[in-house]
Amino acid sequence: MSPFLAAYNREAFETAAQDYNKLYRSEAFGKRTPVEEVYSMELIEAFQTEYSLPVTAAVEGCSELLDLAVERNSIVVETTLGTIKDRLTSARGLSHEAVEAFVRTFSLTHRRSWEEPPPGFEPKDIYPWRFSRRLSYVTRPLLVFGKQNTDKVLFAVGALRVGIAYLLDKIEQGHFSQDFFKSKHMRRYIGKVNNQKGHAFAQAVSAEMRKTGWSTRVEVQMTELGGPAQLGDLDVLAWKANGEIQVIECKRLQFARTIGEAASVCKRFRGEAKDELAKHVRRTDWIRGNPASLRHVVGFIPDAGGIDHRLVTNVPVPMTYLTSLPIQADKIGPLKSDL
């Protein structure tokens, strides 16, 4: 974990340093952009199905609470549940159903014992050492101390702005797992987003390879090469006229932020049984044993010794620091410019 986190933190620091000047730009606020121009209709429909709340109502509700903070001249606001509901109805025109859905979606409610999750939730939703919890303060920035209109509510301006934007952004990017959500509609949307971004990542890897002199094809079915269907496809097949071949598996992953998450990623890529790395290794081994299968794609029959393989990821991964895998450590991780 130590070299893995050190490498990640170094990269994150360098990226932040390059963008540091953006913190000091003076930008005038322009006309408010309609939600429909910011998010796709697929996301808007999935969000409403999941939370029974239109995205527009979520944005309006957040805006009204920010107005309340301005009126109170405070970055931390103490108010009541009734006050919030009244303002969202009278000032923003939200229906009773939309107001209830807004409160339900963005509230972290008081419970007698912190280690007892409320009905419908699991212990993993409250354990503070886990990320992407369904009962996280990040996505539920309203602290509600009861169900009556007279009960206290606390919220911080920064947390409110970040929380709602974070939820929408992570949904749009497909960064939450499907089990974060309850509705089939939202789970299908997350699956579709990840599938599309996975394809786009393979295309991006292919484009980068072409910049360094490689010819490439993406998503080459093993059956096209004469291999068995259960071997699936090659994300990127790259070659050079000198006979070099690269069989590339592309994986768009989330950064592992804890030891548990790192262990989970490593478990998926041990090169054992039917895990994701083993599938890639079997595809590569089949191609090395049948080099003539590549002739109609690359235009020549390569020497088996010139066929190499890589596991290319979008973020640094802990497998890079393992020594027990059936692939060299320097062949795992983000694409390098020296290929």
Side-chain angles (χ1 to χ4, degrees), residues 248-287:
I248 301 175
E249 180 78 358
C250 300
K251 289 297 180 183
R252 179 178 171 269
L253 305 171
Q254 292 193 51
F255 177 72
R257 298 158 292 185
T258 66
I259 291 177
E261 290 182 354
S264 179
V265 173
C266 290
K267 184 178 180 180
R268 292 170 54 188
F269 296 93
R270 290 182 297 185
E272 300 176 1
K274 297 181 180 180
D275 72 15
E276 296 181 58
L277 180 57
K279 294 177 182 177
H280 166 66
V281 171
R282 286 199 299 273
R283 284 190 285 267
T284 304
D285 288 345
W286 189 93
I287 291 173

Side-chain angles (χ1 to χ4, degrees), residues 281 283-291 303-305 307-309 331:
V281 171
R283 284 190 285 267
T284 304
D285 288 345
W286 189 93
I287 291 173
R288 284 172 173 164
N290 300 271
D303 182 86
I307 300 175
D308 202 358
H309 65 142
K331 296 179 182 178

